[in-house]
């Protein structure tokens, strides 16, 4: 579902992403770990078609994201670190609007059931989202993805700033989507959550994918050790 | 996507306190302005009908009198208050409401409303055109300045882009959400004005079609303003900057450019001062025939020519009263002088209008203002039209009186008096203002400029949609 082939992005002399090759298949969750500036967000921007690659190609559902920019967006959903919705509208209205943008139209009952599926409490449906916590907004983001029936989910540090319970619930939602066959690429700093939800984990540094494991092939402690080593952190000092 | 965005934007707009307050404020202001104008219009209308009837009664009941005395006694031509002046008062306040029609002299319109007011009038009146031309564009700025910047500031634009939002559809949805409430407001205002006007006794010149075209003019004006504010909102990143730029634009097009246009026009094509104008006319008059002075060289030459033409030896042998004939010739000569000097003024007016039209290409306010005043019959051109009609009537009146004097009396008999019923034979002054098609034809330039602004601003707005695609996470 997601495929990058020597995907590279340079700004003048600075290479933000260097020949990235990765694949996320249907029903897989790929967690990209890495420090700020490692190239995670650049990867997501390239897959979203917000940036054009300097070289290499990226595919969503076998379609080149540059050549078929509009078409590929039909298959993907995106949840940023801080999902911003329209504060004066409630969850139902926000979901209705963003679904409409993706040419999907639902009645109120269906919108409610999608929000319920995304884990949002019924009592919050008609409250303006200005009163929502970050976790609640992320759930609306998942609802938007569900409503769109997205085949690909791009997440940019979605659990950052969430309390453990909200982060756990979010992880459960991702598992639910995975069971539906959604291919997810998640950029995160959260090693624990990555180990919890991912099928594949990769570590990026300086725009390069340094290491990659199937989740069953690495323990959390080894993941942490490898991560710190890749980042060139001195574990003893830390 | 367009309807979806329209629905969402409308909800957002009317849930925002500042927008609700602004709308209530503008609606209150508009209703007050229409009410004040309607009341004022009704007053002026009644005064006009009363003055017109009274003046005619005075004229008709002069009793026995020498026609030339009646010519000096004079009468008034009253300028009607046009129904659409309720919406746009234009320059009516400064142009005067009546012209004194007398022998030998073309008078300016007098009794203008501005000179009857105190110095406080300098602050201006609350009129619908003030709300339409100045306040509603401000309301547009208030509604639209952050329409696109807020999407960038909040980050919702990235979510929209990831959902596959199409720039121009998104912007058009937003455009409609701003435009439709204003359209409804304007429609109600014009419909109420139309109902008020059609229920008042008018002068046969109110037409729903004129009102509809005036309505369209403002619709186009607001569409242009919405486009320009959205372009600014699309090009900058911060709402604060968009607000400052939009307000600066408003100040420039609504305040600075019209005043600059006025200064440039007056500098490049100045009108003569009243003293110069009067002195030039007096000079020309002196050089020609004075109907009152039989001893001048021009009078003597005229007498000689008439005697020769009729083959008689003395003026008393002519088949008419030569005094009346000379008076008429004197009038004709003076009328030519006035025509010549007023033509110069009109040329200057037309030169000044050309400057305005040139500057209209950088301000949509100017063509809208001129078109609105023209349709409402409250512009200078309509005033000229009225003044010319009054002058023609004055010339015809003098001819009517002089010919009667010449035909019915004998040479040298200045004590002769016309019958008391004679005055009623003078046709009434029935002024017909320019028709709508004449007005539109005269304003072709303004209409074209306004349409260029509309299409041009839509084109730039369309190009602006591209800037929304480049917003990154």
């Amino acid at each position: 579902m997601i495929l990058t082939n020597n995907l590279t992005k340079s700004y003048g002399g600075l290479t933000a992403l260097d020949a990235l090759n990765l694949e996320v298949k249907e029903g897989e969750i790929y967690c990209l770990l890495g420090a700020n500036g490692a190239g995670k967000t650049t990867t997501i921007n390239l897959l979203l078609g917000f940036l054009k690659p300097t070289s290499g190609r990226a595919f969503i559902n076998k379609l080149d994201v540059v050549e078929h920019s509009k078409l590929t967006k039909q298959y993907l959903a995106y949840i940023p670190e801080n999902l911003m919705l329209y504060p004066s509208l409630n969850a139902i209205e926000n979901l209705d609007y963003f679904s409409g943008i993706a040419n999907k139209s639902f009645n109120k009952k269906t919108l409610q059931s999608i929000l319920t599926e995304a884990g949002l409490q019924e009592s919050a449906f008609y409250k303006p989202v200005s009163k929502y916590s970050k976790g609640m907004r992320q759930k609306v983001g998942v609802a938007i993805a569900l409503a769109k029936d997205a085949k690909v989910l791009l997440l940019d540090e979605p659990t950052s700033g969430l309390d453990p319970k909200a982060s756990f619930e979010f992880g459960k939602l991702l598992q639910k989507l995975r069971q539906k066959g959604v291919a997810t690429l998640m950029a995160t700093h959260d090693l624990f959550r990555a180990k919890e939800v991912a099928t594949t984990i990769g570590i990026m540094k300086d725009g390069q994918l340094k290491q990659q494991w199937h989740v069953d092939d690495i323990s959390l402690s080894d993941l942490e050790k490898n991560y710190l080593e890749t980042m060139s952190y001195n574990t003893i000092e830390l | 996507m367009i309807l979806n965005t329209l629905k969402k934007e409308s909800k957002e707009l009317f849930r925002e306190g500042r927008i609700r307050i602004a709308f209530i404020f503008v609606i209150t202001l508009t209703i007050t302005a229409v009410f004040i104008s309607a009341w004022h219009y009704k007053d002026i209308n009644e005064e006009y009908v009363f003055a017109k009837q009274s003046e005619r009664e005075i004229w008709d009941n002069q009793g026995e009198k020498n026609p030339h005395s009646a010519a000096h006694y004079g009468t008034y031509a009253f300028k009607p208050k046009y129904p659409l002046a309720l919406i746009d008062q234009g320059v009516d306040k400064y142009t005067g409401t009546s012209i004194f029609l007398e022998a030998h002299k073309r008078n300016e319109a007098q009794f203008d409303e501005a000179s009857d007011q105190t110095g406080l009038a300098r602050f201006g009146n609350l009129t619908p055109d003030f709300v339409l031309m100045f306040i509603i564009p401000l309301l547009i700025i208030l509604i639209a300045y952050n329409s696109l910047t807020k999407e960038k500031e909040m980050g919702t634009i990235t979510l929209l882009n990831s959902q596959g939002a199409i720039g121009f559809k998104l912007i058009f949805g937003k455009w409609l959400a701003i435009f439709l409430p204003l359209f409804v407001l304007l429609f109600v205002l014009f419909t109420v004005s139309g109902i008020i006007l059609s229920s008042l006794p008018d002068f046969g010149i109110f037409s729903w079609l004129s009102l509809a075209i005036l309505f369209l003019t403002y619709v186009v004006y607001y569409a242009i303003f919405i486009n320009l504010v959205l372009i600014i909102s699309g090009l900058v990143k911060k709402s604060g900057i968009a607000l400052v730029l939009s307000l600066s634009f408003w100040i420039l097009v609504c305040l600075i450019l019209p005043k600059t246009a006025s200064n440039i026009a007056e500098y490049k094509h100045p009108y003569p001062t009243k003293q110069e104008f009067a002195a030039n006319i007096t000079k020309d008059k002196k050089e020609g025939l004075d109907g009152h002075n039989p001893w001048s060289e021009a009078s003597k030459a005229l007498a000689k020519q008439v005697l020769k033409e009729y083959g008689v030896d003395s003026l008393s042998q002519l088949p008419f009263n030569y005094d009346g004939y000379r008076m008429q010739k004197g009038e004709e000569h003076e009328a030519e002088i006035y025509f010549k000097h007023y033509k110069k003024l009109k040329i200057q007016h037309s030169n000044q209008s050309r400057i305005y039209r040139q500057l209209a290409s950088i301000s949509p306010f100017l063509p809208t203002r001129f078109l609105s005043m023209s349709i409402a019959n409250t512009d200078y051109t309509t005033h000229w039209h009225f003044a010319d009609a009054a002058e023609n009537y004055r010339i015809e009146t003098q001819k009517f009186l002089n010919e009667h004097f010449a035909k019915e009396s004998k040479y040298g008999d200045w004590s002769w008096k016309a019958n008391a019923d004679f005055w009623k034979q003078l046709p009434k002054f029935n002024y017909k203002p320019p028709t709508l098609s004449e007005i539109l034809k005269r304003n072709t330039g303004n209409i074209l400029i306004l349409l260029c602004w509309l299409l041009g601003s839509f084109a730039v707005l369309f190009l602006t949609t591209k800037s929304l695609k480049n917003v990154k996470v």
Side-chain angles (χ1 to χ4, degrees):
Chain A
M1 296 298 269
I2 303 172
L3 182 69
T4 68
N5 193 355
N6 286 321
L7 192 64
T8 304
K9 179 69 188 175
S10 302
Y11 300 97
L14 181 80
T15 304
L17 192 66
D18 191 1
L20 178 72
N21 290 297
L22 65 78
E23 187 177 8
V24 188
K25 291 182 183 155
E26 198 177 315
E28 285 186 357
I29 298 175
Y30 193 118
C31 281
L32 268 181
L33 298 170
N36 290 333
K40 305 187 298 292
T41 301
T42 303
T43 306
I44 287 176
N45 275 331
L46 286 161
L47 289 167
L48 283 166
F50 293 167
L51 291 175
K52 281 194 177 158
T54 310
S55 62
R57 298 174 79 181
F59 301 89
I60 298 283
N61 203 21
K62 295 178 184 170
L63 292 167
D64 189 302
V65 293
V66 177
E67 287 169 16
H68 305 281
S69 172
K70 277 181 191 167
L71 205 55
T72 52
K73 285 193 178 89
Q74 287 181 10
Y75 302 106
L76 61 83
Y78 164 66
I79 301 176
E81 181 182 353
N82 269 309
L83 181 76
M84 294 312 291
L85 302 163
Y86 296 103
S88 61
L89 305 186
N90 58 43
I92 297 276
E93 289 165 337
N94 268 292
L95 180 59
D96 185 32
Y97 177 60
F98 283 107
S99 303
I101 292 292
N103 293 319
K104 301 273 181 184
S105 179
F106 304 102
N107 60 30
K108 203 170 269 181
K109 209 174 166 186
T110 314
L111 291 169
Q112 286 174 341
S113 68
I114 295 169
L115 284 168
T116 306
E117 195 183 344
L120 193 73
Q121 286 178 325
E122 206 177 321
S123 58
F125 287 179
Y126 292 97
K127 279 183 186 167
V129 298
S130 58
K131 293 180 179 166
Y132 280 20
S133 66
K134 187 181 171 184
M136 288 163 85
R137 288 205 308 274
Q138 300 296 65
K139 283 174 184 170
V140 178
V142 172
I144 292 167
L146 285 169
K148 199 177 177 183
D149 198 19
K151 305 278 178 251
V152 170
L153 190 58
L154 301 172
L155 307 170
D156 195 1
E157 299 179 21
T159 54
S160 157
L162 290 186
D163 63 61
K165 184 175 172 272
S167 182
F168 171 73
E169 282 175 354
F170 190 77
K172 273 178 70 180
L173 276 173
L174 293 185
Q175 294 292 1
K176 209 189 256 183
L177 289 169
R178 185 191 153 203
Q179 281 159 15
K180 284 187 164 193
V182 175
T184 303
L185 177 67
M186 177 163 93
T188 182
H189 295 291
D190 188 347
L191 273 64
F192 176 76
R193 193 60 52 208
K195 178 74 178 89
E196 278 276 314
V197 300
T199 51
T200 311
I201 297 171
I203 297 178
M204 288 189 82
K205 191 191 174 191
D206 300 333
Q208 292 177 337
L209 184 63
K210 297 287 186 187
Q211 294 185 79
Q212 179 177 275
W213 305 271
H214 189 273
V215 72
D216 297 334
D217 298 340
I218 191 163
S219 66
L220 180 62
S221 57
D222 285 345
L223 178 64
E224 188 178 25
K225 193 179 159 201
N226 274 287
Y227 179 81
L228 294 171
E229 276 173 10
T230 309
M231 296 297 123
S232 308
Y233 291 138
N234 185 326
T235 50
I236 296 165
E237 277 179 18
L238 282 169
Chain B
M1 190 185 296
I2 294 170
L3 281 176
N4 208 23
T5 306
L6 164 66
K7 211 167 85 180
K8 187 272 290 182
E9 286 287 322
S10 304
K11 276 181 195 167
E12 273 194 296
L13 278 178
F14 287 98
R15 281 177 193 176
E16 252 191 86
R18 67 185 169 98
I19 303 293
R20 283 205 302 267
I21 291 168
F23 260 97
I24 291 167
F25 175 71
V26 170
I27 290 168
T28 310
L29 213 57
T30 310
I31 291 169
T32 312
V34 170
F35 177 76
I36 291 171
S37 284
W39 169 74
H40 182 68
Y41 172 78
K42 194 170 168 284
D43 256 17
I44 297 277
N45 195 354
E46 283 167 3
E47 277 175 29
Y48 167 78
V49 173
F50 177 74
K52 200 177 162 186
Q53 281 172 355
S54 323
E55 192 56 32
R56 185 67 203 195
E57 275 171 28
I58 292 169
W59 174 264
D60 286 349
N61 297 303
Q62 291 182 80
E64 291 183 352
K65 193 186 265 182
N66 182 285
H68 196 65
S69 300
H72 276 288
Y73 180 68
T75 187
Y76 279 91
F78 293 99
K79 187 172 154 189
K81 188 82 175 169
Y82 305 99
L84 292 184
L86 182 137
I87 289 170
D88 192 340
Q89 293 204 356
V91 294
D92 263 9
K93 199 174 157 184
Y94 307 98
T95 50
T97 52
S98 55
I99 298 178
F100 181 53
L101 308 175
E102 59 175 330
H104 314 301
K105 200 177 172 193
R106 176 174 180 166
N107 291 304
E108 291 288 323
Q110 52 188 337
F111 305 121
D112 57 291
E113 203 185 319
S115 56
D116 286 343
Q117 291 181 317
T118 64
L120 287 172
R122 294 291 300 162
F123 291 113
N125 292 359
L126 178 62
T127 55
D129 62 288
F130 171 72
V131 178
L132 292 169
M133 293 298 303
F134 294 94
I135 303 297
I136 293 186
L138 273 180
L139 179 67
I140 291 173
I141 291 173
L142 191 69
I143 298 170
Y145 79 95
N146 66 346
S147 192
L148 295 166
T149 49
K150 74 179 176 194
E151 303 280 4
K152 294 179 235 178
E153 284 174 329
M154 289 196 304
T156 41
I157 192 72
T158 53
L159 198 55
L160 287 171
N161 281 336
S162 71
Q163 289 289 94
I166 298 166
F168 81 89
K169 286 188 179 177
L170 188 74
I171 289 190
F172 192 56
K174 284 176 178 283
W175 190 93
L176 280 176
I178 300 160
F179 177 75
L180 286 179
L182 292 172
F183 184 86
V184 171
L185 176 71
L186 203 64
F187 185 79
V188 171
L189 165 71
F190 275 70
T191 308
V192 169
S193 302
I195 291 167
I196 291 173
L197 288 169
S198 55
S199 67
L200 289 173
D202 61 67
F203 312 102
I205 44 178
F206 170 70
S207 91
W208 280 96
L209 184 62
S210 296
L211 189 74
I213 292 182
L214 193 62
F215 170 75
L216 272 182
T217 305
Y218 283 103
V219 165
V220 171
Y221 179 55
Y222 299 147
I224 294 168
F225 240 94
I226 293 170
N227 289 352
L228 295 169
V229 177
L230 282 180
I231 289 167
I232 293 171
S233 189
L235 291 177
V236 303
K237 286 179 183 168
K238 301 281 177 195
S239 295
I241 295 170
L243 180 63
V244 170
L245 285 176
S246 299
L247 285 174
S248 306
F249 179 78
W250 178 84
I251 291 169
L252 184 74
V253 302
C254 295
L255 300 178
I256 295 175
L257 279 173
K259 288 184 193 302
T260 309
S262 176
N263 287 348
I264 295 173
E266 186 55 35
Y267 174 74
K268 289 191 86 171
H269 303 288
Y271 281 123
T273 62
K274 276 201 169 180
Q275 286 83 353
E276 280 170 354
F277 188 66
N280 290 337
I281 289 172
T282 309
K283 183 174 167 278
D284 280 2
K285 273 187 178 178
K286 274 181 187 168
E287 287 169 4
L289 179 67
D290 175 0
H292 271 299
N293 181 5
W295 315 113
S296 71
E297 287 306 311
S299 289
K300 284 175 190 168
L302 177 71
K304 212 172 166 183
Q305 184 201 322
V306 173
L307 289 173
K308 194 182 168 189
E309 196 181 316
Y310 282 85
V312 291
D313 300 328
S314 73
L315 295 171
S316 55
Q317 287 176 322
L318 287 167
F320 50 82
N321 181 350
Y322 177 71
D323 286 330
Y325 181 82
R326 192 185 60 243
M327 283 293 168
Q328 180 53 27
K329 289 294 167 190
E331 282 294 341
E332 285 170 15
H333 165 67
E334 284 156 348
E336 269 176 35
I337 292 168
Y338 281 112
F339 178 76
K340 181 181 120 186
H341 286 279
Y342 273 89
K343 195 178 171 191
K344 283 183 186 170
L345 282 189
K346 280 181 201 167
I347 290 169
Q348 288 302 79
H349 172 67
S350 136
N351 287 335
Q352 290 199 352
S353 300
R354 205 177 54 245
I355 300 272
Y356 280 112
R357 270 200 300 278
Q358 283 164 358
L359 285 166
S361 56
I362 48 171
S363 164
F365 177 93
L366 288 169
T368 310
R369 176 91 260 195
F370 287 119
L371 197 52
S372 170
M373 289 196 301
S374 287
I375 297 168
N377 282 322
T378 55
D379 62 344
Y380 270 117
T381 309
T382 308
H383 181 71
W384 283 116
H385 191 267
F386 166 75
D388 284 350
E391 174 63 2
N392 287 336
Y393 181 72
R394 186 187 75 82
I395 293 166
E396 288 303 313
T397 304
Q398 299 312 311
K399 193 178 174 194
F400 174 81
L401 296 172
N402 286 327
E403 282 180 352
H404 188 68
F405 183 40
K407 193 178 161 193
E408 301 295 331
S409 64
K410 285 180 182 163
Y411 178 58
D413 187 7
W414 282 99
S415 62
W416 183 84
K417 288 177 181 171
N419 192 296
D421 289 336
F422 168 66
W423 317 113
K424 288 175 185 161
Q425 291 172 30
L426 177 72
K428 286 178 181 169
F429 175 58
N430 273 324
Y431 172 63
K432 285 198 172 82
T435 61
L436 182 63
S437 60
E438 285 168 345
I439 290 167
L440 295 179
K441 201 174 165 187
R442 198 200 320 134
N443 279 283
T444 311
N446 287 323
I447 294 168
L448 286 176
I449 292 167
L450 216 50
L451 287 177
C452 284
W453 264 102
L454 183 69
L455 297 176
S457 59
F458 265 122
V460 177
L461 184 62
F462 183 76
L463 293 174
T464 310
T465 60
K466 286 185 178 174
S467 70
L468 297 175
K469 288 179 189 168
N470 300 328
V471 179
K472 293 181 283 292
V473 185

